[in-house]
């Protein structure tokens, strides 16, 4: 009985402090809104829809994992980002000196501002890659590779902003 009481007390204490959610996100209790600006790009050769994909996916991630309201401008918590790299490079050469594997790398810079605690604000670079067989037609697998890379990068952004890793 004492164990049940202790667990119930701990859960009540944690949830009542207003800075913890069961998704693992640690958000200031006074934060009610978030604004996420449209990602810009300085990367050459990136698909024109990559900006929209990253912006909308970050919005979806934040809305699904937090109780914050998404507003157009001046949220309590603010994100803006820029795509800095979209690059395909060879990583493995076959015995006949042709490219066997290639790598798609996407890098972004994200600026996060927490108006309640500037120590939690940051501007960081995030990058990830996915390898593929060079024999595959890149245009056939490009969307799938972007999805894989995007998921990892945005999870890293979310964790940096809200899980404080």
């Amino acid at each position: 009985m004492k164990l049940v009481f202790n667990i119930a007390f701990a859960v009540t204490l944690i949830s009542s402090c207003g800075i913890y959610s069961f998704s693992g996100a640690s958000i200031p209790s006074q934060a009610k809104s978030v604004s996420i600006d449209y990602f810009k790009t300085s990367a050459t050769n990136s698909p024109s829809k990559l900006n929209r994909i990253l912006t909308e996916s970050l919005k979806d991630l934040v809305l699904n994992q937090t109780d914050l309201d998404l507003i157009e401008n001046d949220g309590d918590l603010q994100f803006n980002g820029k795509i800095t790299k979209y690059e395909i490079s060879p990583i493995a050469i076959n015995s006949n000196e042709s490219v066997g594997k290639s790598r798609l790398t996407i890098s972004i810079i994200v600026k996060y501002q927490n108006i309640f605690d500037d120590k939690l604000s940051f501007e960081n670079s995030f990058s990830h890659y996915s390898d593929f067989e060079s024999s595959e037609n890149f245009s056939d697998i490009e969307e799938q590779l972007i999805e894989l890379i995007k998921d990892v990068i945005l999870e890293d952004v979310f964790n940096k902003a809200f899980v404080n890793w």
Side-chain angles (χ1 to χ4, degrees):
M1 184 66 167
K2 185 175 180 181
L3 177 63
V4 173
F5 175 75
N6 287 339
I7 292 172
F9 178 73
V11 168
T12 303
L13 182 65
I14 289 171
S15 62
S16 67
C17 70
I19 61 167
Y20 182 82
S21 78
F22 285 103
S23 69
S26 178
I27 300 169
S29 60
Q30 62 270 43
K32 304 297 181 218
S33 63
V34 62
S35 57
I36 300 172
D37 291 341
Y38 191 75
F39 276 69
K40 296 170 179 50
T41 188
S42 64
T44 57
N45 301 325
S46 68
S48 59
K49 63 184 176 183
L50 186 58
N51 305 52
R52 182 185 50 77
I53 290 169
L54 288 170
T55 303
E56 295 304 318
S57 296
L58 182 57
K59 287 178 181 179
D60 290 343
L61 181 62
V62 170
L63 290 175
N64 288 332
Q65 297 293 320
T66 71
D67 290 331
L68 297 170
D69 294 323
L70 180 65
I71 63 172
E72 195 71 29
N73 295 309
D74 301 323
D76 297 333
L77 309 173
Q78 303 166 15
F79 290 91
N80 64 60
K82 179 169 67 170
I83 302 163
T84 57
K85 183 178 192 180
Y86 186 89
E87 179 181 84
I88 302 167
S89 55
I91 59 166
I93 305 298
N94 290 333
S95 59
N96 62 358
E97 296 187 21
S98 64
V99 176
K101 280 197 158 213
S102 294
R103 173 173 289 170
L104 173 62
T105 304
I106 299 174
S107 299
I108 64 174
I109 293 176
V110 173
K111 182 178 180 184
Y112 167 73
Q113 184 177 3
N114 179 327
I115 67 166
F116 302 110
D117 187 351
D118 198 47
K119 289 182 272 181
L120 297 176
S121 298
F122 64 82
E123 184 169 351
N124 277 33
S125 178
F126 299 88
S127 186
H128 195 69
Y129 62 86
S130 187
D131 298 339
F132 60 97
E133 296 295 325
S134 295
S135 60
E136 295 181 84
N137 183 348
F138 180 71
S139 62
D140 291 342
I141 60 171
E142 184 177 23
E143 285 187 34
Q144 178 185 359
L145 295 172
I146 288 171
E147 280 296 309
L148 292 169
I149 295 168
K150 169 205 56 110
D151 289 345
V152 173
I153 288 176
L154 294 182
E155 191 68 34
D156 288 348
V157 170
F158 182 88
N159 287 339
K160 176 76 174 161
F162 297 125
V163 184
N164 303 321
W165 56 262

